[in-house]
Amino acid sequence: MHSSSVLVVDPDMSRRRELAHGLSSYGYEVIPAVDEAEGRRFAASLGPGIVVAPVSVAARGGAPFLDRLGLAGPPDDRHTLLLFGGREEEGRDLPEETLFLASERMDGGDLVRSVHLVLLGREVGLQPDARLELLVGDLSLLPMLELLRNLNRVRVSCRVLCSDGEIALDAGEVVVATAGRARGIKAFCRLSRLDAGPFWVQLRQPPPPDQWEIRQDFTSLVFLALEDLVHDAPDPRARIRVHLGPSFYETRLTPGRQELLAAVPGCVTIGRLLDALPATDGEILRDLLGLREMGILTLEEPEDLVRVVTDSTSDLPPELARAHGIHVIPVLVLFGDKVYHDGIDLKPKEFYELLEKGKEHPRTNPPPKTDFAEVYRSLAPTKDLVSVHVSEKLSQTLVHARSAAEEGLPDFQKLRGESERVSLRVVDGNSVSLGLGMLALFAARMARRGVDPDAIAERLETLRERLHVLFVVDTLEYLARGGRIGKARARLGNLLGIKPILGVVDGEVAAVDKVRGGRAAHPRLIELFKQRVDPERPVVVGVAHAKAPVWADRLRGLIAKSFKVNEIFVAEMGPVVAANAGPGTVGAALFQPTEEELPLIAPLGEGG
């Protein structure tokens, strides 16, 4: 028997029976009630769980339905309210925490599956999407291995989908995995390392046993994945050069190393080699590094002539930054007298725990000048630099970067030599969060396409004027805690369900609009974006959220329906925005390139 129970309040006898029978088959305790009065009698003994009812039944009284049942207060960790009706319009005015299912074209089995999805989400700590078809999460809050452990514990059959691949489970055991060209255990090990980015869980039966690629139990797989991890792995874009010297002919090589050397001529880069060989990434990398130590091969850094530096207020997904060779310098986050480095010793999950449960409201400080000088000094001997940072109107970060560049340039030039000038351009991104992250990403793509630093800097100063950033604040509590609004105003606003819409205006965060009720917020964001960009021309989109993967997924879906999206990525907000806006905040950055700009900032092809 599962830990959650279900109270079904529905006058339709056949539907009541189908829900009771279907959910009981999954091991849930189901209490059917004909009407509100009977539901109220049963609710007294109801443990943590969900209440399911037609919206017509719940809407009859003036007070909230859970209050009328004796389950006081709004839905929380103990009780979830799921209402269903014929059409989407019936759920438009419901509170955002109430789940709504448009069941006009659904049969009883579909309704059972949707309720089962919500129940499963409660057990593994996830929420469903707007259509109650998938569970939605973010790997920065629930890393892949932890997610899989939770699904294994409840022995569910499902698929886990993410941007890098997918994993299929049968009764909690991993049976199929795909990541790019990799399959099976190799793919599982690769996906198990993911710790950022959105994911979706779909309740779906796995392939039949004759198509299973993995037959090891889950515990063995976890140990294998942990053993496969290689710390400080080389850049996958690095090129491999084989040296057929004396050590090559005098050394007895293992079969794995022989296979690796035979594959190098057709692969060139480490990334392509990892995809080409059947061994796991860890096994290949260990052989590769061993051959390097023997002097049989060398690894050459990617031939980027220009490297991009930014700061962690950019909220760039770590994998995206790594893939583009972007150096992200962490801002400092202070809880009392304890200092953390954003993204280094303070990950999003830990940050939100401290933010919500800690006694002190956090402060953020810009990275010290020495951090910029250190990064510049490590790159300047061989690379030119473009360093793009959070708006100077919001932080002293740019001042520190500019000072480190100006003071250090003579030393950097000595390290490079007098024959070639060091170019180091520091640019005010005039934005924050994914507005800044998008500029850093565009800069890195232009650099890889051979654009020089001066031209990149000039282009960024043009692009930033057409970059639009808007976000919705879920609660006024954190704006009050940070001193941005009064506490009385915050309490009144929360009572009225006010959701402020903030935006980046001339390099500062300012109020743009407000709505009542969370369900109205995202459509209003779409309207505001349509006032700023042409929905018929291609846009690049970044969606950022503060511990709100479900809201981010809903906003992403609305943007995809409303605009001609060339590229979209989702990221967790860092402490600079989230500390002031609070958990539940979600927003987006939209940029509409010209026909001339589009090929310069488009995603890079394979091999970069």
Side-chain angles (χ1 to χ4, degrees), residues 107-375:
D107 59 25
D110 293 329
L111 184 56
V112 168
R113 280 188 288 275
S114 295
V115 178
H116 179 209
L117 181 81
V118 176
L119 287 162
L120 175 65
R122 287 176 57 88
E123 295 194 76
V124 298
L126 299 172
Q127 293 179 307
D129 68 346
R131 300 176 65 85
L132 303 193
E133 294 176 342
L134 303 163
L135 296 176
V136 182
D138 196 292
L139 294 168
S140 62
L141 303 172
L142 188 64
M144 182 63 79
L145 277 183
E146 190 176 338
L147 166 66
L148 294 174
R149 282 194 189 97
N150 290 348
L151 296 172
N152 175 261
R153 173 174 49 80
V154 296
R155 300 187 58 77
V156 67
S157 297
C158 63
R159 288 200 308 162
V160 177
L161 313 170
C162 65
S163 59
D164 294 79
E166 66 177 79
I167 293 174
L169 294 90
D170 176 69
E173 296 292 339
V174 176
V175 294
V176 172
T178 307
R181 298 179 184 176
R183 300 191 67 87
I185 289 176
K186 179 185 179 81
F188 174 82
C189 290
R190 189 176 286 184
L191 294 175
S192 71
R193 295 191 287 271
L194 297 177
D195 59 1
F199 67 82
W200 300 267
V201 177
Q202 180 183 51
L203 288 182
R204 182 175 172 181
Q205 288 301 314
D210 62 343
Q211 296 179 26
W212 291 1
E213 302 164 340
I214 300 174
R215 297 182 182 274
Q216 289 183 242
D217 66 272
F218 182 71
T219 302
S220 300
L221 278 178
V222 170
F223 280 117
L224 196 156
L226 293 175
E227 291 171 357
D228 196 59
L229 181 63
V230 174
H231 295 285
D232 299 323
D235 190 325
R237 297 176 297 136
R239 292 177 170 268
I240 308 167
R241 294 280 184 264
V242 177
H243 304 284
L244 302 181
S247 59
F248 175 80
Y249 296 102
E250 295 169 2
T251 304
R252 188 180 183 87
L253 299 176
T254 64
R257 290 179 176 179
Q258 291 177 21
E259 187 177 22
L260 186 156
L261 289 170
V264 166
C267 295
V268 184
T269 67
I270 291 177
R272 292 178 181 176
L273 186 71
L274 293 175
D275 280 340
L277 295 174
T280 65
D281 292 352
E283 291 170 334
I284 297 167
L285 288 171
R286 279 187 283 274
D287 280 339
L288 190 74
L289 296 174
L291 290 168
R292 184 176 67 175
E293 288 178 10
M294 296 177 190
I296 293 175
L297 56 79
T298 56
L299 304 178
E300 298 177 356
E301 278 192 40
E303 297 176 356
D304 303 344
L305 297 177
V306 180
R307 294 300 280 270
V308 174
V309 179
T310 190
D311 57 80
S312 64
T313 67
S314 62
D315 293 341
L316 269 177
E319 285 297 324
L320 200 59
R322 281 193 287 269
H324 289 78
I326 299 170
H327 288 256
V328 180
I329 298 179
V331 299
L332 306 182
V333 184
L334 291 77
F335 281 92
D337 57 1
K338 189 150 189 182
V339 180
Y340 299 91
H341 294 77
D342 179 24
I344 306 298
D345 53 8
L346 186 66
K347 301 292 186 182
K349 184 178 180 181
E350 291 78 20
F351 167 73
Y352 288 113
E353 287 176 357
L354 288 169
L355 179 65
E356 294 175 309
K357 299 175 183 177
K359 296 179 180 178
E360 297 175 281
H361 192 71
R363 295 174 291 120
T364 56
N365 282 352
K369 183 170 65 175
T370 51
D371 286 6
F372 291 100
E374 185 179 337
V375 170

Side-chain angles (χ1 to χ4, degrees), residues 15 32 75 82 203 208 229 325 492 562:
R15 192 165 54 207
L82 191 163
L203 288 182
L229 181 63
L492 179 61
S562 306

Side-chain angles (χ1 to χ4, degrees), residues 439-451:
L439 289 176
L441 187 66
F442 294 164
R445 289 174 176 173
M446 286 188 277
R448 296 272 284 278
R449 291 185 167 103
V451 182

Side-chain angles (χ1 to χ4, degrees), residues 7 9 33 35-45 67-70:
L7 173 61
V9 183
D35 55 24
E36 184 182 315
E38 190 173 31
R40 188 162 50 249
R41 290 199 300 273
F42 290 143
S45 59
D67 286 0
R68 303 202 314 266
L69 292 174

